[in-house]
Amino acid sequence: MKMKWKRMLALFLAAAMMTAVLAGCGGTTNDTTANENAQSNDTASQTNSSGNDGEDVPEEDRYGGTLKIALNSTVSAQALDPIYSNGTNPDQIIQNYGEGLVRQTTGGEYVPAFATSWETSEDGLEWTFYLREGVHFQVGEYQDGREATADDVVYSFERSRTEHWNNPLFMVDSVEALDDYTVKITLNQPYAAFLERCTSSTTIIVPKEDVEGWGDEFPLHPTSIGPFQVVEHVADQYTKLVRNENYWAGTPYLEALEYYCITDSAQALNALLTGEVDVVLSLSADAIRQIKDSDSVTLYQEPENRIAYIGFNSRYEQLSDPAVREALIMAVDASALLAAYQENMATENRLPLPILNWGWDESLLEYIPEYDPEAAKQLLADAGYEDGFTLKCTLSQGNDELMRAVTVLQSYWEEIGVNLEITAVSSSELTEMYTTGSVQVWATTQGGTSDPATFIGYFTSEAKLNTNQNSWGYAKEETELLNQEALSLSDQDARKDIYLEITQDFLEDDLGIFFANTNLNMAANNRVHGLVLENKSVLTICGVQDTGINIWVEE
């Protein structure tokens, strides 16, 4: 029932390098890091870029202008609060108005942000962060742009630890301010990927006065210490930000930043080609073909640490039977899902890890059921479902590629007597289905880092039950112990061995159909300069010095 699946990866991995022209934030950069990043980007897939470097423009002429960005799904009224962010599109905004303790460069290096340095205890349980002095919040309704201190880190981390819907800080036991500029974070278990948590939207530093003063309306008026400040958020329509003149890392080139929710891919493309927006962050296959013929738009593409899959909730009626789940996988030719998703949008990948992830291993592919619809029918008959049954598949609105893939899935399952009802809902509705455990089958993409802890680790973590990362209902004590062991080690080879064992068990439970490693596909008007692909879904507009990123536009 299992097959050995092999695929050449050379072209994919070669395409994994990135390219862009780097401009320092406010003209201040770490030369070594910026140069390394520029070198790592030399081979990126970037087309129609003639005349788009802007290197001959003096720095003083780069200041000003508004960058308009199209998002491919809605952003709810709550989603700009770091504890309610429920996807990549809210993160696009949160990580440009907000900032945390550290950032990550294009090369994967963790660099200082609000924290200037950090150290860990020998047992990996205590992390001490030394904060930057003179960092101020954006002026809010309930505080006047005061200095951010260790107390704000404590407040922000504790708020995320106790209130965040996704439980991202499950590894944190306590957060303590040792003085105004020193914070000690104690973990309940060693966690090798903890710095990754400190770069995410979940740990953005926010002022207590504004959070408590605004109450439920704080997501409409969020404040933090990042390069831009939110001035207007109209749920599911648009968000407008202006430059934070007091940003500690220097002055952003852009005067303003605007995000527009355009869920129809054809409308987003039209807005880009007519100049109504400057950047489209997610492109359909049709849009990519049209953009390649345009002289006014630059296409940016590269593989990313994100996978596309169909998930099964093993706690739901028929799906609680392992034989049924195996049959549902055997009934589908996964390459047809990729073809529907469109190959220039992704690369074939059958594992619950991106191909660029250091936990990915070809040996795991033998644990995937072989495409065999007749055997699938027999499995269902043996399980008592000879006459079939009905399942409901849910996905977020605005994802044309996933909708095509799910439509193909529907036709395959129909051949074995399983009727699939497909529903596209808002991201907030899908989040509620995850948290209530009411989702049956879902189609999604999931992103993370090159560390398998952010994929298979989360997928099998009890702390992530009833979130987008563990809605299959996977909870095993032995796996929980293995996850803890992997996170306690610093040796990558030893950690990989453990994740191989975890991934094998996960695959043998037949909890979903993994079919693609997605690509970053975005496009920008040629008046946009300094855009950098960072192998992550969130586009940095103006990073700290060590990232060397500061986007600007020609007026």
Side-chain angles (χ1 to χ4, degrees):
M1 293 295 184
K2 308 288 184 179
M3 71 170 181
K4 184 74 171 179
W5 177 89
K6 294 184 177 181
R7 183 174 178 85
M8 295 298 291
L9 302 177
L11 291 176
F12 181 89
L13 294 174
M17 307 305 288
M18 301 170 285
T19 189
V21 177
L22 301 178
C25 187
T28 306
T29 65
N30 179 308
D31 291 338
T32 301
T33 304
N35 288 337
E36 289 173 352
N37 290 344
Q39 290 168 7
S40 71
N41 288 326
D42 283 345
T43 58
S45 176
Q46 181 176 335
T47 62
N48 306 338
S49 57
S50 176
N52 197 33
D53 53 33
E55 288 183 337
D56 57 342
V57 177
E59 182 173 355
E60 61 269 20
D61 293 338
R62 300 180 184 184
Y63 289 91
T66 299
L67 183 70
K68 298 180 180 181
I69 299 174
L71 304 176
N72 71 338
S73 69
T74 57
V75 178
S76 70
Q78 280 191 315
L80 294 192
D81 186 330
I83 68 168
Y84 294 122
S85 176
N86 58 2
T88 300
N89 285 305
D91 285 351
Q92 298 285 358
I93 303 169
I94 292 174
Q95 293 199 25
N96 282 302
Y97 85 72
E99 196 151 75
L101 294 174
V102 299
R103 276 189 181 265
Q104 196 171 21
T105 68
T106 57
E109 177 189 2
Y110 293 104
V111 297
F114 187 27
T116 59
S117 61
W118 50 88
E119 60 189 27
T120 61
S121 60
E122 288 188 8
D123 61 8
L125 291 176
E126 292 184 356
W127 290 71
T128 304
F129 292 88
Y130 302 95
L131 306 182
R132 193 179 305 275
E133 298 184 27
V135 175
H136 289 260
F137 284 112
Q138 300 142 4
V139 175
E141 184 72 16
Y142 298 93
Q143 52 80 34
D144 59 0
R146 65 168 176 81
E147 185 179 18
T149 68
D151 287 337
D152 298 300
V153 176
V154 173
Y155 174 76
S156 300
F157 269 72
E158 286 291 349
R159 183 170 181 261
S160 182
R161 184 178 73 88
T162 59
E163 299 180 42
H164 197 291
W165 72 275
N166 190 251
N167 196 18
L169 297 181
F170 63 87
M171 75 296 293
V172 174
D173 184 63
S174 64
V175 189
E176 178 185 1
L178 302 183
D179 57 44
D180 284 350
Y181 304 106
T182 310
V183 176
K184 182 175 75 173
I185 301 176
T186 303
L187 308 185
N188 51 41
Q189 63 186 69
Y191 197 81
F194 183 60
L195 281 180
E196 180 275 329
R197 289 291 79 198
C198 296
T199 68
S200 71
S201 296
T202 62
T203 52
I204 292 297
I205 309 304
V206 294
K208 180 178 180 179
E209 301 96 317
D210 284 341
V211 173
E212 297 185 352
W214 282 111
D216 291 342
E217 293 188 7
F218 175 70
L220 300 176
H221 313 276
T223 46
S224 183
I225 57 175
F228 295 91
Q229 179 169 6
V230 175
V231 292
E232 185 179 10
H233 175 54
V234 178
D236 303 328
Q237 295 186 46
Y238 62 84
T239 305
K240 296 183 177 183
L241 304 88
V242 296
R243 176 196 293 149
N244 176 11
E245 301 288 352
N246 296 317
Y247 182 46
W248 67 268
T251 305
Y253 286 141
L254 293 170
E255 183 177 344
L257 189 57
E258 298 177 357
Y259 292 89
Y260 293 90
C261 300
I262 307 177
T263 59
D264 183 274
S265 58
Q267 290 181 9
L269 174 62
N270 184 66
L272 177 66
L273 295 176
T274 59
E276 296 175 59
V277 298
D278 301 303
V279 178
V280 174
L281 295 176
S282 182
L283 297 167
S284 67
D286 289 340
I288 291 172
R289 282 191 288 270
Q290 293 185 58
I291 287 171
K292 285 181 175 179
D293 295 329
S294 172
D295 293 328
S296 62
V297 172
T298 298
L299 173 65
Y300 298 83
Q301 290 182 292
E302 69 172 23
E304 63 178 330
N305 277 312
R306 181 173 289 273
I307 55 177
Y309 61 90
I310 312 296
F312 307 154
N313 184 351
S314 66
R315 296 163 294 186
Y316 178 77
E317 297 186 34
Q318 298 95 337
L319 295 174
S320 64
D321 187 335
V324 170
R325 299 197 300 269
E326 183 175 10
L328 292 174
I329 298 174
M330 293 175 67
V332 180
D333 180 356
S335 64
L337 300 185
L338 176 66
Y341 195 88
Q342 303 241 357
E343 291 194 29
N344 62 348
M345 304 290 292
T347 299
E348 187 175 3
N349 178 25
R350 299 301 311 280
L351 295 182
L353 293 159
I355 297 176
L356 296 177
N357 190 285
W358 54 260
W360 195 96
D361 195 284
E362 188 179 43
S363 66
L364 294 166
L365 297 166
E366 67 179 282
Y367 302 105
I368 300 169
E370 182 179 0
Y371 173 51
D372 189 339
E374 293 305 315
K377 290 178 184 178
Q378 188 60 53
L379 278 175
L380 290 185
D382 293 345
Y385 297 109
E386 187 172 2
D387 296 329
F389 53 88
T390 296
L391 289 172
K392 295 181 179 179
C393 180
T394 310
L395 68 159
S396 287
Q397 295 169 341
N399 195 318
D400 297 341
E401 290 72 39
L402 276 178
M403 180 60 79
R404 287 196 297 267
V406 171
T407 302
V408 170
L409 176 76
Q410 183 183 52
S411 65
Y412 273 101
W413 281 0
E414 184 179 8
E415 293 299 314
I416 61 168
V418 176
N419 177 47
L420 185 64
E421 298 176 354
I422 303 171
T423 304
V425 300
S426 68
S427 56
S428 58
E429 289 176 296
L430 184 54
T431 296
E432 184 169 347
M433 294 180 71
Y434 290 143
T435 57
T436 59
S438 59
V439 67
Q440 298 177 18
V441 176
W442 70 99
T444 191
T445 65
Q446 181 65 52
T449 71
S450 60
D451 193 317
T454 62
F455 284 94
I456 194 63
Y458 287 167
F459 291 165
T460 58
S461 170
E462 291 186 30
K464 292 293 185 178
L465 278 169
N466 294 327
T467 72
N468 60 316
Q469 291 158 325
N470 186 355
S471 280
W472 14 67
Y474 186 103
K476 295 183 181 181
E477 183 177 355
E478 58 271 27
T479 302
E480 196 72 11
L481 293 174
L482 285 172
N483 271 320
Q484 291 176 15
E485 182 183 356
L487 290 165
S488 71
L489 302 174
S490 58
D491 182 83
Q492 184 169 301
D493 290 336
R495 292 183 68 206
K496 180 174 180 177
D497 288 341
I498 295 173
Y499 285 122
L500 286 174
E501 183 177 349
I502 294 172
T503 307
Q504 177 182 335
D505 182 78
F506 180 83
L507 289 171
E508 289 180 329
D509 274 3
D510 296 318
L511 292 167
I513 303 172
F514 298 86
F515 65 91
N517 197 117
T518 64
N519 294 336
L520 278 170
N521 296 292
M522 68 176 67
N525 188 294
N526 283 347
R527 80 186 195 100
V528 178
H529 303 282
L531 188 152
V532 178
L533 293 184
E534 300 178 89
N535 192 25
K536 63 178 185 178
S537 299
V538 174
L539 177 65
T540 300
I541 306 299
C542 180
V544 296
Q545 291 105 321
D546 288 328
T547 66
I549 298 172
N550 198 2
I551 293 177
W552 59 282
V553 295
E554 288 184 73
E555 290 297 300

